[in-house]
Amino acid sequence: MESAARVVVVGGGLAGSAAAVKLAAAGHRVTVIDPNEHLGGKMNCWEAGGYHFDMGPTIITMPQSIDRLFASVGRSSRDYLDMVRLDPGWRCFFADGSVIDLYEKVERLQQELARIAPRDAESLPRFMKYSRQMLRISDEYFFWKPYGAISDLFKEYGVLNPAGLKLGSQIHPFTSLHQVVARHFKDPRVVQMFDHFIQYVGSSPFMSPAILTLIAAVQLDLGVWYPMGGTGQIARALEKLAGEFGVTRRNGEIVSEILTEGKRATGVRLFSGDTIPADVVVSNCDIIRTYEELIRDRRGTALLRKERQRYEPACSGVVLYLGCNRTWDHLAHHDFIFSEDAEDEFRDIYDRHLPAKDMTIYLAAPSITDPSVAPKGCTALYALIHTPYRTDRVDWAVEGPRYREAVLDRLEQRGLTGLRESIQVERMLTPVDIERLYRSKGGSIYGILTQKGLTAAFKPGNRCPLFENLYFAGGSANPGAGVPMVIMSGQITANCVLEDCGAPEAVAV
């Protein structure tokens, strides 16, 4: 295509918005279709009673992926976002009453660990060396590339190429993240803390590949960040960019089918009956739903059946938004209130597919950093508890209220005295609500489950294997879940489109 292509983006999540902005800036005619009235997908907001809540992602790491998107279209993210760096990144509360602040400087974190686990403090530099090596390998071989399987890697480097063989030995594909962590640390509290980095992608440390230990280096070396006004400001910044580059938005509408003919996608059909023709279709929908519901082609069903294990949804969650008319001095901006038995908790969620009896609670109190999100003297709390994705095994109409009480009990036991009496506004989401709001399979928050092994560690590639002009972006596509990864995914997808279709001349990208 030598002229501007007609691009339809199905879903305006962070990845879809990033792809739309980059393609529109390159001169293509881009339309984004989304059932919500906002762009950003799960990066949604809710306001009530003077409180502001970020409903989706709240921990921002690796802001370089955001900076790169803005720079690629001739903008600076600093003109759109006021990002502040948080240190400590987390405050960790353990079942025995001990507390660790997860500082970003290794020397200071060593001092923290030395208070409860002196031998593990000595092991920290060795673990960080391993984590940084995994980040370096990922940056060199995996990030910003449209790989969907180990075969894609072999195509580039060759099966018997020394570099490819060396890479295979370096990433330890059959070693789990937990095995690496347990090899370096012995205190169960320290192991639990470093195992929980995998929760950024909604998987289990017992099944995730060792290479994902890179998340520790991402957080400690690159920092934990917060955009003033709330993480929803990132979505608002992408909305502003989309407007500046002429992206057409069709909010409040749902795509019922991706139209195909032969080996090409020809457009989309909406539930309203409207048909929108396209030269390129980018699906930012959950990839399982894309194959199950949007592509009316038996080849898609066959592919899903063949790749059933690779395409298992990641975990879902119960989320509580609580506006409270008091403060608690012992909280940090980001807090983890850990379970007593981490292994049993993960087994409940990922093996037994049941809500954990003994849950870990991630608790955010952004009003500690940003007074604008709560009335003076009050606290805006966000509590996330990971659960299995929705199945018929759990009736959330019954389990949801019970789980709410269990969460509030746990928070009050861990120092949030008077929590129940302080609540002025409240909202709760269960896996059923998340599935309904964001059309993710089973209410999955993080796309597809990440597992160890040569194949399972890869997410589906950004180019659809069935249709030459259909592309995937988002948490269930390469490179995976988490804010930096999905924004990277959108840019990778846009680069694939530009490579395959070509950008109009004289447009810098």
Side-chain angles (χ1 to χ4, degrees):
M1 298 175 199
E2 297 180 357
S3 60
R6 299 168 299 174
V7 180
V8 171
V9 180
V10 183
L14 292 178
S17 297
V21 165
K22 195 168 175 66
L23 291 171
H28 295 296
R29 292 174 287 165
V30 182
T31 300
V32 176
I33 304 166
D34 194 278
N36 297 298
E37 294 302 323
H38 68 282
L39 294 184
K42 297 183 186 76
M43 190 167 270
N44 198 359
C45 302
W46 176 58
E47 294 185 358
Y51 295 91
H52 173 95
F53 298 95
D54 290 309
M55 295 182 67
T58 56
I59 300 179
I60 306 300
T61 60
M62 205 173 171
Q64 292 81 357
S65 65
I66 301 173
D67 297 339
R68 181 164 172 164
L69 171 63
F70 280 78
S72 74
V73 298
R75 302 288 194 271
S76 170
S77 63
R78 290 168 180 77
D79 295 330
Y80 297 77
L81 296 165
D82 178 14
M83 302 283 285
V84 297
R85 194 163 181 162
L86 305 178
D87 192 27
W90 306 346
R91 180 162 291 163
C92 303
F93 298 88
F94 297 97
D96 67 353
S98 56
V99 179
I100 293 177
D101 279 346
L102 191 65
Y103 290 109
E104 61 181 44
K105 289 189 179 298
V106 171
E107 298 78 12
R108 193 171 183 190
L109 180 54
Q110 275 188 292
Q111 294 173 3
E112 278 288 287
L113 296 181
R115 291 191 295 103
I116 66 168
R119 288 182 59 189
D120 285 354
E122 295 174 5
S123 300
L124 180 62
R126 185 165 55 91
F127 173 77
M128 289 306 301
K129 181 179 179 181
Y130 184 95
S131 176
R132 287 166 179 151
Q133 180 186 13
M134 295 299 106
L135 179 58
R136 179 189 59 76
I137 290 171
S138 297
D139 200 40
E140 182 175 353
Y141 293 99
F142 299 106
F143 289 168
W144 304 103
K145 295 178 174 64
Y147 296 155
I150 192 72
S151 58
D152 294 331
L153 204 62
F154 287 154
K155 285 177 186 176
E156 184 160 341
Y157 295 100
V159 177
L160 298 179
N161 184 294
L165 293 173
K166 182 180 178 182
L167 174 64
S169 67
Q170 285 179 325
I171 63 175
H172 310 137
F174 297 104
T175 300
S176 73
L177 181 146
H178 173 77
Q179 287 172 319
V180 174
V181 171
R183 192 180 301 154
H184 288 85
F185 305 113
K186 302 306 176 187
D187 189 290
R189 295 165 296 184
V190 179
V191 172
Q192 187 175 26
M193 179 176 71
F194 282 102
D195 271 354
H196 262 77
F197 277 118
I198 198 62
Q199 294 296 266
Y200 283 135
V201 299
S203 189
S204 164
F206 299 96
M207 63 175 65
S208 300
I211 195 169
L212 290 182
T213 55
L214 68 88
I215 300 172
V218 165
Q219 176 155 326
L220 271 64
D221 292 344
L222 304 180
V224 172
W225 296 79
Y226 173 81
M228 296 300 285
T231 54
Q233 294 300 313
I234 296 172
R236 302 295 80 76
L238 293 183
E239 281 188 331
K240 188 173 181 181
L241 274 185
E244 290 174 4
F245 288 105
V247 172
T248 299
R249 292 170 53 186
R250 296 191 62 163
N251 293 95
E253 301 198 64
I254 301 174
V255 172
S256 63
E257 182 181 358
I258 295 174
L259 304 172
T260 60
E261 187 175 318
K263 293 185 177 181
R264 293 189 63 79
T266 59
V268 300
R269 179 176 290 119
L270 307 182
F271 273 108
S272 65
D274 288 355
T275 296
I276 304 176
D279 303 306
V280 171
V281 176
V282 175
S283 178
N284 183 206
C285 288
D286 179 283
I287 202 164
I288 304 176
R289 283 196 178 276
T290 299
Y291 278 120
E292 284 184 345
E293 300 175 14
L294 302 185
I295 298 176
R296 310 288 173 81
D297 189 300
R298 55 185 175 80
R299 289 175 294 173
T301 305
L303 185 147
L304 267 187
R305 189 179 299 116
K306 177 183 176 183
E307 302 280 10
R308 183 168 49 197
Q309 184 177 5
R310 280 189 71 202
Y311 282 64
E312 182 180 358
C315 72
S316 187
V318 167
V319 194
L320 290 177
Y321 310 98
L322 306 172
C324 305
N325 63 5
R326 59 160 297 172
T327 62
W328 292 272
D329 293 339
H330 69 296
L331 296 179
H333 186 122
H334 298 299
D335 305 275
F336 278 86
I337 299 171
F338 284 118
S339 63
E340 187 170 355
D341 188 335
E343 183 169 355
D344 194 55
E345 176 190 9
F346 283 114
R347 300 292 181 216
D348 274 346
I349 298 169
Y350 297 99
D351 296 341
R352 304 175 190 121
H353 298 285
L354 295 171
K357 299 180 292 294
D358 178 18
M359 80 283 284
T360 290
I361 302 171
Y362 161 63
L363 188 69
S367 45
I368 290 174
T369 301
D370 186 356
S372 73
V373 302
K376 186 176 181 180
C378 299
T379 306
L381 292 176
Y382 166 109
L384 169 65
I385 306 89
H386 281 163
T387 70
Y389 59 88
R390 187 198 63 76
T391 66
D392 293 337
R393 297 192 66 185
V394 180
D395 181 354
W396 281 104
V398 175
E399 186 67 14
R402 189 199 70 79
Y403 223 58
R404 172 194 181 273
E405 293 304 312
V407 171
L408 295 182
D409 284 345
R410 174 65 58 84
L411 292 175
E412 290 184 332
Q413 291 163 5
R414 297 294 182 85
L416 275 77
T417 307
L419 173 61
R420 278 183 171 85
E421 294 76 16
S422 74
I423 297 173
Q424 293 184 305
V425 299
E426 178 179 359
R427 184 175 179 182
M428 181 175 73
L429 298 181
T430 70
V432 174
D433 301 311
I434 294 169
E435 184 173 39
R436 175 181 52 80
L437 278 170
Y438 305 115
R439 302 181 65 78
S440 59
K441 183 69 174 180
S444 170
I445 300 174
Y446 306 94
I448 293 173
L449 196 63
T450 302
Q451 303 181 58
K452 64 184 178 181
L454 285 173
T455 301
F458 287 87
K459 294 294 186 289
N462 304 91
R463 291 180 171 95
C464 177
L466 304 180
F467 303 98
E468 59 190 27
N469 62 332
L470 175 61
Y471 302 82
F472 299 125
S476 56
N478 174 66
V483 172
M485 295 297 105
V486 297
I487 292 179
M488 187 187 298
S489 178
Q491 294 175 77
I492 294 170
T493 298
N495 289 339
C496 289
V497 174
L498 296 176
E499 180 182 333
D500 297 346
C501 298
E505 291 185 10
V507 177
V509 293

